[in-house]
Amino acid sequence: MSSTRQQLEMQVQTLREEGWSEFAISEYMQHIEAESILENVTIIEDSWEAAHRIGSKLFNHMLFDDAELATDAKLNMFYRLLGARIDQFNFMQLYRVADKTFRFPAGEAELIVYFQFVDQFVQLIQEKYATRGLYDIWDHQMRYWLSLPIIDFIFIDEQTQQNGRFSSERKQFEKWLEKTRIIHYPFGKSNPRLHNRYSKGELETIDMKTKDLNIKDQFIGDEGYHLEVVFNKDGKAISQWNVLRETVDGKIVSNPAEYSTPELLQIANTESVNYAEIGGADHNRLDVKPANLMFGMESLVRRRAKRAFKAIPIDQFNTITRNKWAKNKA
C-alpha cells in the first residue's frame, strides 16, 4: 500500500472522528480521486487544509450538499465540527477553532468563496425557522463569529500586526470601499440607530444635532442577506473583535469584568450578520428579538455592554438623521 493511500485512509478515519457525515467523507474522497492525485502528497495535504477551512468550496460541498441530511442535522454537524460550547459567561466558544483544527478564511481569494458559505448558512437558518422565531443560542451567537473574518480582512496590513489583530494607519472605510470593488461584492447603507449607543448621561446631556453618527454598511449576499460593518466618523471599523482577547489556548476571554468601558462601547456597537433582510417580520423574529436581553441568548459581556450603552430613541434618531440629511443636501 502506497504511503499516499495510507495517508488518505488515515484522513478518512480522522474525518469520521471529527464528526463529518458519511456523505461528507465520500465527497472528500471523490474530490481527491476526481483529480487522480492519490500519488500527489502536496495536493492531498492541500485538500485536507481546504476541508478544515470554513467556507472553502470543499468545506461547503461537504457540509451543505447532502440532500438527505435534514437542516437541523447539518447545523448540528457544523457546530460539532467546530467544537461549539456555551461557557460559564454564556459565550459560545469554538474549541476546534481555538486549537486550530478549523480556521476561518484570510485574504481576498478565500473571502470571496466565504461569502457563498455565509449565504448558504443563512439559508439553513431560514429553513430551520421558517415558521417560528429563532430560539437556539448557538444559531444566534454564530452570527458574531461569521463576521470575524470580515473584520480581520478590513484590518489587514502587511507591515504591522499587534496582539493577534491587524491595525493600519490608513482610514479603514476607504480601504473597505477599495476592497469591495476588488472582490465585486455590492453593499448598501441601512439604519445604524442600534449601532449608535451612548451612556445614559450622554443621552441626557449631549447635543445630538452636532453629534457625528456611526454609519453601517450592508454587505449584500446573493440571496439578499447581509453582513453589517460599522464605521465611526474617522472611518475606523467598530467591532467587538477589535477588543475581545484570546487566552493562551486560543479561546475568547468572555468575562465582562476583563473589559474596560471604552471596550464595552465597541462590543455594544459591534457589527453582526443578519439572517433576514432588513425590515419586516422575518428580520424582527430572526435578528432583532433574539438580541433582546430578556431572551437570554446574548453573552454576559454583550449584556453588560448593552446595559451600559443605550441606543438613541427612535424619534430622536429620526429627527437627527432628517436634519443631517437636509443640511447635507443643502
Side-chain angles (χ1 to χ4, degrees):
M1 183 182 296
S2 69
S3 60
T4 51
R5 175 68 68 177
Q6 287 179 317
Q7 183 179 13
L8 178 59
E9 290 185 357
M10 292 176 62
Q11 288 182 347
V12 167
Q13 179 60 30
T14 302
L15 291 173
R16 188 169 286 116
E17 292 171 355
E18 288 174 348
W20 287 103
S21 66
E22 290 303 315
F23 170 87
I25 294 171
S26 175
E27 284 289 296
Y28 181 78
M29 295 178 66
Q30 289 180 33
H31 169 79
I32 293 177
E33 292 170 356
E35 302 295 329
S36 300
I37 56 176
L38 287 182
E39 299 304 320
N40 190 324
V41 176
T42 300
I43 298 181
I44 290 179
E45 291 176 347
D46 289 345
S47 299
W48 184 253
E49 185 280 329
H52 292 81
R53 175 169 27 99
I54 302 165
S56 73
K57 289 183 179 179
L58 179 56
F59 184 96
N60 292 350
H61 286 313
M62 293 169 69
L63 177 64
F64 295 120
D65 289 358
D66 187 350
E68 297 182 2
L69 195 63
T71 296
D72 281 13
K74 290 179 182 178
L75 287 168
N76 290 338
M77 179 172 69
F78 175 71
Y79 295 132
R80 183 169 62 252
L81 291 168
L82 270 56
R85 297 290 185 275
I86 303 300
D87 69 13
Q88 61 180 320
F89 299 107
N90 213 47
F91 187 97
M92 187 173 76
Q93 301 281 356
L94 301 182
Y95 282 82
R96 284 186 175 166
V97 173
D99 69 12
K100 298 181 172 52
T101 300
F102 290 87
R103 72 172 180 88
F104 284 98
E108 292 173 12
E110 293 182 1
L111 205 61
I112 292 172
V113 182
Y114 177 74
F115 290 132
Q116 299 172 10
F117 163 79
V118 173
D119 284 340
Q120 289 180 279
F121 185 87
V122 167
Q123 288 179 55
L124 289 185
I125 296 294
Q126 287 276 5
E127 292 170 8
K128 180 175 179 177
Y129 299 101
T131 60
R132 55 188 171 179
L134 191 147
Y135 62 83
D136 191 311
I137 189 172
W138 290 7
D139 293 336
H140 172 62
Q141 290 199 24
M142 192 62 212
R143 73 177 79 237
Y144 300 115
W145 283 99
L146 291 176
S147 64
L148 170 59
I150 313 300
I151 295 303
D152 277 350
F153 182 62
I154 294 172
F155 276 74
I156 286 175
D157 186 292
E158 294 180 355
Q159 295 181 342
T160 177
Q161 181 179 354
Q162 300 172 354
N163 299 326
R165 297 278 170 231
F166 298 96
S167 61
S168 173
E169 295 181 356
R170 289 183 59 190
K171 285 191 175 182
Q172 291 158 3
F173 182 63
E174 295 175 356
K175 292 177 68 177
W176 180 242
L177 294 178
E178 176 183 338
K179 290 176 186 300
T180 54
R181 287 196 294 269
I182 290 174
I183 62 180
H184 306 295
Y185 214 77
F187 70 91
K189 293 189 175 75
S190 64
N191 189 316
R193 185 180 74 87
L194 296 178
H195 300 269
N196 282 273
R197 293 175 177 269
Y198 301 90
S199 68
K200 181 179 179 181
E202 284 182 303
L203 285 177
E204 293 175 346
T205 60
I206 62 176
D207 181 3
M208 296 305 302
K209 292 181 180 179
T210 63
K211 194 71 174 176
D212 288 304
L213 298 176
N214 300 328
I215 62 173
K216 179 175 70 173
D217 278 85
Q218 298 169 224
F219 228 28
I220 309 298
D222 294 338
E223 301 297 328
Y225 310 111
H226 59 272
L227 305 165
E228 298 176 344
V229 184
V230 182
F231 298 91
N232 66 15
K233 64 183 179 63
D234 297 319
K236 297 295 183 182
I238 298 171
S239 172
Q240 63 182 346
W241 295 111
N242 293 342
V243 299
L244 290 178
R245 294 184 286 277
E246 295 180 357
T247 63
V248 293
D249 56 359
K251 293 192 290 294
I252 302 301
V253 176
S254 56
N255 184 351
E258 297 291 329
Y259 295 97
S260 66
T261 299
E263 289 173 331
L264 289 174
L265 180 57
Q266 285 216 56
I267 293 171
N269 281 330
T270 189
E271 89 300 326
S272 70
V273 171
N274 283 333
Y275 293 143
E277 295 184 46
I278 277 290
D282 288 343
H283 179 52
N284 192 50
R285 67 188 176 84
L286 297 183
D287 303 313
V288 178
K289 284 187 176 181
N292 192 309
L293 297 185
M294 66 177 289
F295 281 77
M297 287 195 285
E298 292 278 51
S299 65
L300 294 191
V301 68
R302 283 274 293 162
R303 292 185 204 178
R304 178 171 292 189
K306 291 166 75 172
R307 286 193 179 108
F309 297 98
K310 302 295 184 181
I312 307 169
I314 295 177
D315 292 343
Q316 186 180 4
F317 182 84
N318 290 340
T319 299
I320 294 167
T321 53
R322 280 197 301 269
N323 290 341
K324 287 182 178 290
W325 180 82
K327 181 179 179 180
N328 292 336
K329 185 177 180 180

